[in-house]
Coordinates of all heavy atoms in Angstrom, one line a residue:
R1 N -8.7 4.7 -48.9 CA -8.2 4.8 -50.2 C -7.4 3.5 -50.5 O -7.5 3.0 -51.6 CB -7.4 6.0 -50.4 CG -6.7 6.1 -51.8 CD -6.0 7.4 -52.0 NE -6.9 8.3 -52.6 CZ -6.6 9.6 -52.8 NH1 -5.5 10.1 -52.3 NH2 -7.5 10.3 -53.4
A2 N -6.5 3.1 -49.6 CA -5.7 1.9 -49.8 C -6.6 0.7 -50.0 O -6.3 -0.2 -50.8 CB -4.7 1.7 -48.7
M3 N -7.7 0.6 -49.2 CA -8.5 -0.6 -49.3 C -9.2 -0.6 -50.7 O -9.4 -1.7 -51.2 CB -9.6 -0.6 -48.2 CG -9.0 -0.8 -46.8 SD -8.0 -2.3 -46.7 CE -9.3 -3.5 -46.8
L4 N -9.6 0.5 -51.2 CA -10.2 0.6 -52.5 C -9.3 0.1 -53.6 O -9.6 -0.6 -54.5 CB -10.7 2.0 -52.8 CG -11.4 2.3 -54.1 CD1 -12.7 1.5 -54.1 CD2 -11.7 3.8 -54.2
L5 N -8.0 0.6 -53.5 CA -7.0 0.1 -54.4 C -6.8 -1.4 -54.3 O -6.7 -2.1 -55.4 CB -5.7 0.9 -54.2 CG -5.7 2.4 -54.6 CD1 -4.4 3.0 -54.1 CD2 -5.9 2.6 -56.0
L6 N -6.7 -1.9 -53.1 CA -6.5 -3.3 -52.9 C -7.7 -4.1 -53.5 O -7.5 -5.1 -54.2 CB -6.3 -3.6 -51.5 CG -6.1 -5.1 -51.1 CD1 -4.9 -5.6 -51.8 CD2 -6.0 -5.3 -49.6
A7 N -8.9 -3.7 -53.3 CA -10.0 -4.3 -53.9 C -10.0 -4.3 -55.4 O -10.3 -5.4 -56.0 CB -11.3 -3.7 -53.4
A8 N -9.6 -3.2 -56.0 CA -9.5 -3.2 -57.5 C -8.5 -4.2 -58.0 O -8.7 -4.8 -59.0 CB -9.1 -1.8 -57.9
V9 N -7.3 -4.3 -57.3 CA -6.3 -5.2 -57.7 C -6.8 -6.7 -57.6 O -6.6 -7.5 -58.5 CB -5.0 -5.0 -56.9 CG1 -4.0 -6.1 -57.2 CG2 -4.4 -3.7 -57.3
L10 N -7.4 -7.0 -56.5 CA -7.9 -8.4 -56.3 C -8.9 -8.7 -57.3 O -9.0 -9.9 -57.8 CB -8.5 -8.5 -54.9 CG -7.5 -8.4 -53.7 CD1 -8.2 -8.5 -52.4 CD2 -6.5 -9.5 -53.8
A11 N -9.7 -7.8 -57.8 CA -10.7 -8.1 -58.8 C -10.1 -8.3 -60.2 O -10.7 -8.9 -61.0 CB -11.7 -6.9 -58.9
M12 N -8.9 -7.9 -60.4 CA -8.2 -8.1 -61.6 C -7.5 -9.5 -61.8 O -6.9 -9.8 -62.8 CB -7.1 -7.0 -61.8 CG -7.7 -5.7 -62.1 SD -6.5 -4.5 -62.4 CE -5.8 -4.3 -60.8
G13 N -7.6 -10.3 -60.8 CA -7.0 -11.7 -60.9 C -5.6 -11.8 -60.4 O -4.9 -12.7 -60.8
C14 N -5.2 -10.9 -59.5 CA -4.0 -11.1 -58.8 C -2.7 -11.1 -59.6 O -1.8 -11.9 -59.5 CB -4.0 -12.3 -57.9 SG -5.2 -12.1 -56.5
A15 N -2.7 -10.2 -60.6 CA -1.4 -10.0 -61.4 C -0.4 -9.3 -60.5 O 0.8 -9.4 -60.7 CB -1.7 -9.1 -62.6
G16 N -0.8 -8.7 -59.4 CA 0.1 -8.0 -58.5 C -0.8 -7.4 -57.4 O -2.0 -7.3 -57.6
M17 N -0.1 -6.9 -56.4 CA -0.8 -6.3 -55.3 C -0.2 -4.9 -55.0 O 1.0 -4.8 -55.0 CB -0.7 -7.1 -54.0 CG -1.4 -6.5 -52.8 SD -1.4 -7.6 -51.4 CE 0.3 -7.5 -50.9
V18 N -1.1 -3.9 -54.9 CA -0.6 -2.6 -54.6 C -0.2 -2.6 -53.1 O -0.9 -2.8 -52.2 CB -1.7 -1.5 -54.8 CG1 -1.2 -0.1 -54.4 CG2 -2.2 -1.5 -56.2
T19 N 1.1 -2.3 -52.9 CA 1.6 -2.2 -51.5 C 1.8 -0.8 -51.0 O 1.9 -0.6 -49.8 CB 3.0 -3.0 -51.4 OG1 3.9 -2.3 -52.3 CG2 2.8 -4.4 -51.8
S20 N 1.8 0.1 -51.9 CA 1.9 1.5 -51.5 C 1.3 2.4 -52.6 O 1.6 2.2 -53.8 CB 3.4 1.9 -51.3 OG 3.5 3.3 -51.0
A21 N 0.5 3.4 -52.2 CA -0.1 4.3 -53.1 C 0.0 5.7 -52.6 O -0.5 6.0 -51.6 CB -1.6 3.9 -53.4
E22 N 0.8 6.5 -53.3 CA 0.9 7.9 -53.0 C 0.4 8.7 -54.2 O 0.3 8.1 -55.3 CB 2.4 8.3 -52.7 CG 2.9 7.5 -51.5 CD 4.4 7.7 -51.3 OE1 4.9 8.7 -51.8 OE2 5.0 6.9 -50.7
P23 N 0.1 10.0 -54.1 CA -0.4 10.7 -55.2 C 0.5 10.7 -56.5 O 0.0 10.7 -57.6 CB -0.6 12.1 -54.7 CG -0.7 12.0 -53.2 CD 0.1 10.8 -52.9
D24 N 1.8 10.6 -56.3 CA 2.7 10.6 -57.4 C 3.2 9.3 -57.8 O 3.9 9.1 -58.8 CB 3.8 11.6 -57.2 CG 4.7 11.2 -56.1 OD1 4.3 10.5 -55.2 OD2 5.9 11.7 -56.1
R25 N 3.0 8.2 -57.1 CA 3.5 6.9 -57.4 C 2.8 5.7 -56.7 O 2.1 5.9 -55.7 CB 5.0 6.8 -57.1 CG 5.3 6.6 -55.6 CD 6.7 6.7 -55.3 NE 7.0 8.1 -55.1 CZ 8.2 8.6 -54.9 NH1 9.2 7.8 -54.8 NH2 8.4 9.9 -54.8
V26 N 2.9 4.6 -57.3 CA 2.4 3.3 -56.8 C 3.4 2.3 -56.8 O 4.3 2.3 -57.7 CB 1.1 2.8 -57.5 CG1 -0.1 3.8 -57.3 CG2 1.4 2.5 -58.9
V27 N 3.4 1.4 -55.8 CA 4.3 0.3 -55.7 C 3.5 -1.0 -55.8 O 2.6 -1.2 -55.1 CB 5.2 0.3 -54.4 CG1 6.1 -0.9 -54.4 CG2 5.9 1.6 -54.3
I28 N 3.9 -1.9 -56.8 CA 3.2 -3.1 -57.0 C 4.1 -4.3 -56.6 O 5.3 -4.3 -57.1 CB 2.8 -3.3 -58.5 CG1 2.2 -2.0 -59.1 CG2 2.0 -4.5 -58.7 CD1 0.8 -1.7 -58.4
E29 N 3.6 -5.1 -55.8 CA 4.4 -6.4 -55.4 C 3.8 -7.5 -56.3 O 2.6 -7.7 -56.4 CB 4.1 -6.7 -54.0 CG 4.9 -8.0 -53.5 CD 4.7 -8.3 -52.1 OE1 4.4 -7.4 -51.3 OE2 4.9 -9.5 -51.7
H30 N 4.8 -8.2 -57.0 CA 4.3 -9.2 -57.9 C 5.4 -10.3 -58.1 O 6.5 -10.1 -57.7 CB 4.0 -8.6 -59.3 CG 5.2 -7.9 -59.9 ND1 6.0 -8.5 -60.8 CD2 5.7 -6.6 -59.7 CE1 7.0 -7.6 -61.2 NE2 6.8 -6.5 -60.5
D31 N 4.9 -11.4 -58.6 CA 5.8 -12.6 -58.8 C 6.6 -12.3 -60.0 O 6.2 -11.6 -61.0 CB 4.8 -13.8 -59.1 CG 5.6 -15.1 -59.2 OD1 6.2 -15.3 -60.3 OD2 5.6 -15.8 -58.2
P32 N 7.9 -12.8 -60.1 CA 8.7 -12.5 -61.2 C 8.2 -13.1 -62.5 O 8.7 -12.7 -63.6 CB 10.1 -13.1 -60.8 CG 9.9 -13.9 -59.6 CD 8.6 -13.5 -59.0
L33 N 7.3 -14.0 -62.5 CA 6.8 -14.7 -63.7 C 5.6 -13.9 -64.3 O 5.2 -14.2 -65.4 CB 6.3 -16.1 -63.4 CG 7.4 -17.0 -62.8 CD1 6.8 -18.4 -62.5 CD2 8.5 -17.2 -63.9
I34 N 5.1 -12.9 -63.6 CA 4.0 -12.0 -64.1 C 4.6 -11.2 -65.2 O 5.6 -10.5 -65.0 CB 3.4 -11.2 -63.0 CG1 2.8 -12.1 -61.9 CG2 2.3 -10.3 -63.6 CD1 1.7 -12.9 -62.3
P35 N 4.0 -11.1 -66.4 CA 4.5 -10.3 -67.5 C 4.4 -8.8 -67.2 O 3.6 -8.4 -66.5 CB 3.5 -10.6 -68.7 CG 2.8 -11.8 -68.3 CD 2.8 -11.9 -66.8
D36 N 5.4 -8.1 -67.8 CA 5.4 -6.6 -67.5 C 4.1 -5.9 -67.9 O 3.7 -5.0 -67.1 CB 6.6 -6.0 -68.4 CG 7.9 -6.4 -67.8 OD1 8.0 -6.8 -66.7 OD2 8.9 -6.2 -68.6
D37 N 3.5 -6.3 -69.0 CA 2.2 -5.6 -69.3 C 1.1 -5.8 -68.3 O 0.3 -4.9 -68.1 CB 1.8 -6.0 -70.7 CG 1.5 -7.5 -70.9 OD1 2.1 -8.3 -70.2 OD2 0.8 -7.8 -71.8
S38 N 1.1 -7.0 -67.6 CA 0.1 -7.2 -66.6 C 0.4 -6.3 -65.4 O -0.5 -5.8 -64.8 CB 0.1 -8.7 -66.2 OG -0.3 -9.5 -67.2
V39 N 1.7 -6.2 -65.0 CA 2.0 -5.3 -63.9 C 1.7 -3.9 -64.2 O 1.2 -3.1 -63.4 CB 3.5 -5.5 -63.5 CG1 3.9 -4.6 -62.3 CG2 3.8 -6.9 -63.2
L40 N 2.0 -3.5 -65.4 CA 1.7 -2.1 -65.9 C 0.2 -1.8 -65.8 O -0.3 -0.8 -65.5 CB 2.2 -1.9 -67.3 CG 1.9 -0.5 -67.9 CD1 2.5 0.6 -67.2 CD2 2.3 -0.5 -69.4
E41 N -0.6 -2.8 -66.2 CA -2.1 -2.7 -66.1 C -2.6 -2.5 -64.7 O -3.4 -1.6 -64.4 CB -2.8 -4.0 -66.7 CG -4.3 -3.9 -66.7 CD -4.9 -5.1 -67.3 OE1 -4.2 -5.8 -68.0 OE2 -6.1 -5.3 -67.1
V42 N -2.0 -3.2 -63.7 CA -2.3 -3.0 -62.3 C -1.9 -1.6 -61.9 O -2.7 -0.9 -61.2 CB -1.6 -4.0 -61.4 CG1 -1.8 -3.7 -59.9 CG2 -2.1 -5.4 -61.7
A43 N -0.7 -1.1 -62.3 CA -0.3 0.2 -61.9 C -1.2 1.3 -62.5 O -1.6 2.2 -61.9 CB 1.1 0.4 -62.4
S44 N -1.6 1.0 -63.8 CA -2.5 2.0 -64.5 C -3.9 2.1 -63.7 O -4.4 3.2 -63.5 CB -2.7 1.5 -65.9 OG -3.6 2.4 -66.6
K45 N -4.4 1.0 -63.3 CA -5.7 1.0 -62.6 C -5.5 1.7 -61.2 O -6.4 2.4 -60.8 CB -6.3 -0.4 -62.5 CG -6.7 -0.9 -63.8 CD -7.4 -2.3 -63.7 CE -7.6 -2.8 -65.1 NZ -9.0 -2.7 -65.5
A46 N -4.4 1.4 -60.6 CA -4.2 2.0 -59.2 C -4.0 3.5 -59.4 O -4.6 4.3 -58.6 CB -2.9 1.4 -58.6
C47 N -3.3 4.0 -60.4 CA -3.2 5.4 -60.6 C -4.5 6.0 -61.0 O -4.9 7.1 -60.6 CB -2.2 5.7 -61.7 SG -0.4 5.4 -61.3
G48 N -5.3 5.3 -61.8 CA -6.6 5.7 -62.2 C -7.6 5.9 -61.1 O -8.4 6.8 -61.1
Q49 N -7.4 5.1 -60.0 CA -8.3 5.2 -58.8 C -8.0 6.5 -58.1 O -8.8 7.0 -57.4 CB -8.0 4.0 -57.9 CG -8.5 2.7 -58.3 CD -10.0 2.6 -58.3 OE1 -10.6 3.2 -57.4 NE2 -10.6 2.0 -59.2
M50 N -6.8 7.1 -58.3 CA -6.5 8.4 -57.7 C -6.7 9.6 -58.7 O -6.2 10.7 -58.4 CB -5.0 8.4 -57.2 CG -4.8 7.3 -56.2 SD -3.1 7.4 -55.5 CE -2.2 6.6 -56.8
G51 N -7.3 9.3 -59.8 CA -7.6 10.3 -60.8 C -6.4 10.7 -61.6 O -6.3 11.8 -62.1
R52 N -5.4 9.8 -61.7 CA -4.2 10.1 -62.5 C -4.0 9.0 -63.5 O -4.7 8.0 -63.6 CB -3.0 10.1 -61.5 CG -3.1 11.3 -60.5 CD -2.0 11.2 -59.5 NE -2.1 12.4 -58.7 CZ -1.3 13.5 -58.9 NH1 -0.4 13.5 -59.9 NH2 -1.4 14.6 -58.1
R53 N -2.9 9.2 -64.3 CA -2.6 8.2 -65.3 C -1.2 7.7 -65.0 O -0.4 8.4 -64.5 CB -2.7 8.7 -66.7 CG -1.8 9.9 -67.0 CD -2.0 10.4 -68.4 NE -1.3 11.6 -68.6 CZ 0.0 11.7 -68.8 NH1 0.7 10.6 -68.9 NH2 0.6 12.9 -68.9
V54 N -0.9 6.4 -65.4 CA 0.4 5.9 -65.1 C 1.4 6.4 -66.1 O 1.1 6.7 -67.3 CB 0.4 4.3 -65.2 CG1 0.2 3.8 -66.6 CG2 1.6 3.7 -64.5
G55 N 2.6 6.6 -65.6 CA 3.7 7.1 -66.4 C 4.7 5.9 -66.6 O 4.3 4.8 -66.8
E56 N 5.9 6.2 -66.3 CA 7.0 5.2 -66.5 C 7.3 4.4 -65.3 O 6.9 4.9 -64.2 CB 8.3 5.9 -67.0 CG 8.9 6.8 -66.0 CD 8.3 8.2 -65.9 OE1 7.4 8.5 -66.6 OE2 8.7 9.0 -65.0
R57 N 7.9 3.3 -65.5 CA 8.4 2.5 -64.3 C 9.6 3.2 -63.8 O 10.6 3.4 -64.5 CB 8.6 1.1 -64.7 CG 9.0 0.2 -63.5 CD 9.2 -1.3 -63.8 NE 10.4 -1.4 -64.7 CZ 10.5 -2.4 -65.5 NH1 9.5 -3.3 -65.7 NH2 11.6 -2.5 -66.3
L58 N 9.6 3.5 -62.5 CA 10.8 4.1 -61.9 C 11.8 3.1 -61.4 O 13.0 3.3 -61.5 CB 10.3 4.9 -60.7 CG 9.4 6.1 -61.0 CD1 8.9 6.7 -59.7 CD2 10.0 7.1 -61.9
S59 N 11.4 2.0 -60.9 CA 12.3 0.9 -60.4 C 11.6 -0.4 -60.3 O 10.4 -0.5 -60.3 CB 12.9 1.3 -59.1 OG 11.9 1.3 -58.1
R60 N 12.5 -1.4 -60.3 CA 12.0 -2.8 -60.0 C 13.1 -3.5 -59.2 O 14.3 -3.5 -59.6 CB 11.8 -3.6 -61.3 CG 11.4 -5.0 -61.0 CD 11.1 -5.8 -62.2 NE 9.8 -5.4 -62.7 CZ 9.3 -5.7 -63.9 NH1 10.0 -6.5 -64.7 NH2 8.2 -5.3 -64.2
V61 N 12.8 -3.9 -58.0 CA 13.8 -4.5 -57.1 C 13.2 -5.8 -56.5 O 12.0 -5.9 -56.4 CB 14.2 -3.6 -55.9 CG1 14.9 -2.3 -56.5 CG2 13.0 -3.2 -55.1
Q62 N 14.1 -6.7 -56.1 CA 13.6 -7.9 -55.4 C 13.2 -7.5 -54.0 O 13.9 -6.7 -53.3 CB 14.8 -8.9 -55.3 CG 15.0 -9.6 -56.6 CD 15.9 -10.8 -56.5 OE1 16.1 -11.5 -57.4 NE2 16.4 -11.1 -55.3
K63 N 12.1 -8.1 -53.5 CA 11.7 -7.8 -52.1 C 12.7 -8.4 -51.2 O 13.0 -7.8 -50.1 CB 10.3 -8.5 -51.9 CG 9.7 -8.1 -50.6 CD 8.3 -8.6 -50.5 CE 7.7 -8.2 -49.1 NZ 6.3 -8.6 -49.0
N64 N 13.3 -9.5 -51.5 CA 14.3 -10.2 -50.6 C 15.6 -10.3 -51.4 O 15.8 -11.3 -52.1 CB 13.8 -11.5 -50.1 CG 14.8 -12.1 -49.1 OD1 15.9 -11.7 -49.0 ND2 14.4 -13.2 -48.5
P65 N 16.5 -9.4 -51.4 CA 17.7 -9.4 -52.2 C 18.7 -10.6 -51.9 O 19.6 -10.9 -52.6 CB 18.3 -8.1 -52.0 CG 17.7 -7.5 -50.8 CD 16.4 -8.1 -50.6
A66 N 18.4 -11.2 -50.7 CA 19.3 -12.3 -50.3 C 19.0 -13.6 -51.2 O 19.9 -14.5 -51.2 CB 19.1 -12.6 -48.8
L67 N 17.9 -13.6 -51.8 CA 17.5 -14.8 -52.6 C 18.0 -14.6 -54.0 O 18.2 -13.5 -54.5 CB 16.0 -15.0 -52.6 CG 15.3 -15.3 -51.3 CD1 13.8 -15.4 -51.5 CD2 15.8 -16.7 -50.8
P68 N 18.3 -15.7 -54.7 CA 18.7 -15.6 -56.1 C 17.6 -15.0 -57.0 O 16.4 -15.1 -56.7 CB 18.9 -17.1 -56.5 CG 18.9 -17.9 -55.3 CD 18.2 -17.1 -54.3
A69 N 18.0 -14.4 -58.1 CA 17.1 -13.7 -59.0 C 16.0 -14.8 -59.4 O 16.3 -15.9 -59.7 CB 17.8 -13.2 -60.2
G70 N 14.8 -14.3 -59.5 CA 13.7 -15.2 -59.8 C 13.0 -15.9 -58.7 O 12.0 -16.6 -58.9
F71 N 13.6 -15.9 -57.5 CA 13.1 -16.6 -56.4 C 12.4 -15.7 -55.3 O 12.0 -16.2 -54.3 CB 14.1 -17.4 -55.7 CG 14.5 -18.6 -56.5 CD1 15.6 -18.6 -57.4 CD2 13.8 -19.8 -56.4 CE1 15.9 -19.7 -58.2 CE2 14.2 -20.9 -57.2 CZ 15.2 -20.8 -58.1
S72 N 12.4 -14.4 -55.6 CA 11.8 -13.4 -54.6 C 10.8 -12.6 -55.3 O 10.9 -12.4 -56.5 CB 12.9 -12.5 -54.1 OG 12.4 -11.5 -53.3
M73 N 9.7 -12.2 -54.6 CA 8.8 -11.3 -55.1 C 9.5 -10.0 -55.6 O 10.5 -9.7 -55.0 CB 7.7 -11.0 -54.1 CG 6.9 -12.2 -53.7 SD 5.9 -12.9 -55.0 CE 4.5 -11.8 -55.1
L74 N 8.9 -9.3 -56.5 CA 9.4 -8.1 -57.0 C 8.6 -6.9 -56.6 O 7.4 -7.1 -56.4 CB 9.5 -8.1 -58.5 CG 10.4 -9.2 -59.2 CD1 10.2 -9.1 -60.7 CD2 11.8 -9.0 -58.8
L75 N 9.2 -5.8 -56.4 CA 8.5 -4.5 -56.1 C 8.8 -3.6 -57.2 O 9.9 -3.2 -57.5 CB 9.0 -3.9 -54.8 CG 8.8 -4.7 -53.5 CD1 9.5 -4.1 -52.3 CD2 7.3 -4.9 -53.2
S76 N 7.7 -3.2 -58.0 CA 7.9 -2.3 -59.1 C 7.2 -1.0 -58.8 O 6.0 -1.0 -58.4 CB 7.2 -2.9 -60.4 OG 7.9 -4.1 -60.8
T77 N 7.9 0.1 -58.9 CA 7.4 1.4 -58.6 C 7.1 2.2 -59.9 O 8.0 2.2 -60.8 CB 8.4 2.2 -57.8 OG1 8.7 1.5 -56.6 CG2 7.9 3.6 -57.4
Y78 N 5.9 2.7 -60.0 CA 5.5 3.4 -61.2 C 5.1 4.8 -60.8 O 4.5 5.1 -59.8 CB 4.3 2.8 -61.9 CG 4.6 1.5 -62.6 CD1 4.7 0.3 -61.9 CD2 4.9 1.5 -64.0 CE1 5.0 -0.9 -62.6 CE2 5.2 0.3 -64.6 CZ 5.2 -0.9 -63.9 OH 5.5 -2.1 -64.5
R79 N 5.4 5.8 -61.7 CA 5.0 7.2 -61.5 C 3.6 7.4 -62.0 O 3.2 6.9 -63.0 CB 6.0 8.1 -62.2 CG 5.6 9.6 -62.0 CD 6.6 10.5 -62.7 NE 8.0 10.0 -62.5 CZ 8.9 10.6 -61.8 NH1 8.6 11.8 -61.3 NH2 10.1 10.1 -61.6
C80 N 2.8 8.1 -61.2 CA 1.4 8.5 -61.6 C 1.5 10.0 -62.0 O 1.9 10.8 -61.2 CB 0.5 8.3 -60.5 SG 0.3 6.6 -59.9
H81 N 1.0 10.3 -63.2 CA 1.0 11.7 -63.7 C -0.5 12.3 -63.5 O -1.4 11.5 -63.6 CB 1.4 11.8 -65.2 CG 2.8 11.4 -65.4 ND1 3.8 12.2 -65.0 CD2 3.4 10.3 -66.0 CE1 5.0 11.7 -65.3 NE2 4.7 10.5 -65.9
P82 N -0.6 13.6 -63.3 CA -1.9 14.2 -63.2 C -2.7 14.1 -64.5 O -2.1 13.9 -65.5 CB -1.6 15.7 -62.8 CG -0.1 15.8 -62.6 CD 0.5 14.5 -63.1

């Protein structure tokens, strides 16, 4: 299932990469310069692969909090609804 999600994301042009997919949420790793709507699209497709629809963004954190803002990849977590 994770490989299928990864393949879907790679086919979309690398707006972000699914790093975790659970039935109720997905985590997308992305560059801070990627627009929010592009990250949301990746999350929507990842949730759709599990037969769900994307809900709201639960969190967005820097992957490496030791770096200044804008210099670290971001991890955005989205809820998937049935």
Side-chain angles (χ1 to χ4, degrees):
R1 177 176 265 171
M3 292 304 292
L4 182 61
L5 290 173
L6 180 59
V9 170
L10 291 175
M12 289 185 286
C14 293
M17 180 176 71
V18 177
T19 59
S20 174
E22 299 174 20
D24 64 336
R25 76 185 84 183
V26 293
V27 178
I28 311 297
E29 180 178 337
H30 59 95
D31 188 280
L33 299 176
I34 301 295
D36 288 344
D37 59 336
S38 295
V39 179
L40 178 62
E41 183 179 340
V42 173
S44 180
K45 289 184 188 258
C47 288
Q49 289 287 326
M50 295 184 288
R52 296 176 171 261
R53 59 182 174 78
V54 74
E56 67 278 359
R57 184 175 68 209
L58 298 174
S59 69
R60 176 177 287 169
V61 297
Q62 285 194 175
K63 187 173 181 181
N64 184 350
L67 294 176
F71 287 92
S72 174
M73 296 296 281
L74 298 175
L75 297 171
S76 293
T77 303
Y78 288 86
R79 181 178 314 248
C80 298
H81 292 290

